[in-house]
Amino acid sequence: MKSFIKSSLVITLLTLLSACSDDNDADEVLNYPVLDNDSNVPFDLSRGEYACYEMVTSLGNVELALDERYAPATSLNFKNYVETSFYDGLIFHRVIPNFMIQGGGLEPGLIKKSTQLPIEIESKNGLKNYRGRIAMARTAAPNSATSQFFINTVNNSFLDYGNASDGYGYTVFGAVIAGMDVVDAIESVPTETVSPYADVPVTDVTIDTITAMDCPAS
């Protein structure tokens, strides 16, 4: 039964919304360092090369640290959306207990927001889908991520490169460094199906703003 549930969750992620996709192979040579093993749980800011953001939601504030060293393109993509206030007023439109919360692409009423072009996947960077890590949502095409992200609420190793059933996995590009209680509160809200979307919060959980902040001293 556990295996069946995990398979269903993988299918859920593979059907995430994206305006377009790119079927290019993800086996390119990466031009930045790759971790041999990401064992920093809880997240460790001591080496630097992070960009930090405060996300104000209708249920409280969450602070994020994005890894500019091991997920440079994905971190820059997020920064570009933040600097254009793209995320302000959007919702967490998919919430699945004991899995993740997802947002960053739909307005209240489940209205899709136009995005920038998709980015290349960086799932081979060595970062893992631990609880509290933020990762990019995408379609079944590996290079299809645009604005949507999810925050893991449990350790989801089956989404990591090397473990994922599609051979690619999902790009982890940072972590929650404060406000995990808010993430847990979002995870626990009642949900419903609003065709064609499943696991939609009954009452909107909004992203009011996301703004850059100084990373805390390590």
Side-chain angles (χ1 to χ4, degrees), residues 13-14 16 26 28 30 32-34 38 43 65-78 87 100-101 118-130 132-139 141-152 156-164 166-175:
L13 279 178
L14 289 176
L16 298 177
E28 75 282 356
L30 302 180
Y32 53 89
V34 177
D38 173 19
F43 200 62
L66 305 191
D67 196 326
E68 296 185 310
R69 181 177 185 183
Y70 291 104
T74 309
S75 297
L76 178 60
N77 178 70
F78 188 90
Y87 291 120
M100 60 93 211
I101 64 173
I119 60 174
E120 291 189 11
I121 195 168
E122 292 183 304
S123 59
K124 294 170 62 177
N125 59 10
L127 301 176
K128 306 295 193 299
N129 282 277
Y130 295 133
R133 297 291 177 92
I134 183 171
M136 291 302 294
R138 60 172 175 81
T139 68
N143 298 317
S144 61
T146 54
S147 65
Q148 291 192 37
F149 58 85
F150 63 93
I151 298 174
N152 293 284
N156 289 314
S157 62
F158 68 101
L159 300 181
D160 295 339
Y161 177 80
N163 294 337
D166 68 352
Y168 296 97
Y170 292 79
T171 300
V172 176
F173 64 106

Side-chain angles (χ1 to χ4, degrees), residues 5 7 22 37-39 43 73 83 108 115 136 138 148 184 191 198-199 201 209 213:
I5 291 172
S7 296
D22 186 338
N37 181 44
D38 173 19
S39 58
F43 200 62
E83 290 184 341
T115 65
M136 291 302 294
R138 60 172 175 81
Q148 291 192 37
D184 291 337
T191 61
D199 308 300
T209 62
M213 57 172 277

Side-chain angles (χ1 to χ4, degrees):
M1 177 64 70
K2 184 176 181 181
S3 177
F4 174 78
I5 291 172
K6 284 191 173 184
S7 296
S8 298
L9 294 180
V10 171
I11 293 172
T12 299
L13 279 178
L14 289 176
T15 57
L16 298 177
L17 299 176
S18 182
C20 52
S21 63
D22 186 338
D23 293 320
N24 290 340
D25 197 288
D27 289 332
E28 75 282 356
V29 176
L30 302 180
N31 60 357
Y32 53 89
V34 177
L35 287 172
D36 290 329
N37 181 44
D38 173 19
S39 58
N40 292 327
V41 182
F43 200 62
D44 181 10
L45 290 173
S46 61
R47 66 160 167 80
E49 296 184 81
Y50 293 97
C52 295
Y53 298 88
E54 181 179 41
M55 177 169 61
V56 177
T57 81
S58 55
L59 292 184
N61 298 356
V62 178
E63 294 180 4
L64 303 167
L66 305 191
D67 196 326
E68 296 185 310
R69 181 177 185 183
Y70 291 104
T74 309
S75 297
L76 178 60
N77 178 70
F78 188 90
K79 177 182 178 181
N80 289 339
Y81 280 112
V82 168
E83 290 184 341
T84 59
S85 301
F86 177 91
Y87 291 120
D88 298 0
L90 301 187
I91 60 173
F92 284 96
H93 66 277
R94 180 175 283 116
V95 170
I96 304 178
N98 298 310
F99 185 27
M100 60 93 211
I101 64 173
Q102 180 189 334
L106 278 71
E107 299 174 340
L110 299 174
I111 300 169
K112 298 180 188 178
K113 189 168 182 179
S114 296
T115 65
Q116 302 170 22
L117 293 175
I119 60 174
E120 291 189 11
I121 195 168
E122 292 183 304
S123 59
K124 294 170 62 177
N125 59 10
L127 301 176
K128 306 295 193 299
N129 282 277
Y130 295 133
R131 168 175 161 82
R133 297 291 177 92
I134 183 171
M136 291 302 294
R138 60 172 175 81
T139 68
N143 298 317
S144 61
T146 54
S147 65
Q148 291 192 37
F149 58 85
F150 63 93
I151 298 174
N152 293 284
T153 58
V154 295
N155 292 344
N156 289 314
S157 62
F158 68 101
L159 300 181
D160 295 339
Y161 177 80
N163 294 337
S165 60
D166 68 352
Y168 296 97
Y170 292 79
T171 300
V172 176
F173 64 106
V176 173
I177 55 174
M180 197 62 197
D181 58 327
V182 176
V183 174
D184 291 337
I186 295 172
E187 181 193 27
S188 68
V189 301
T191 61
E192 62 183 348
T193 296
V194 183
S195 185
Y197 303 105
D199 308 300
V200 179
V202 173
T203 300
D204 285 344
V205 179
T206 57
I207 300 171
D208 297 333
T209 62
I210 301 181
T211 54
M213 57 172 277
D214 292 334
C215 289
S218 55

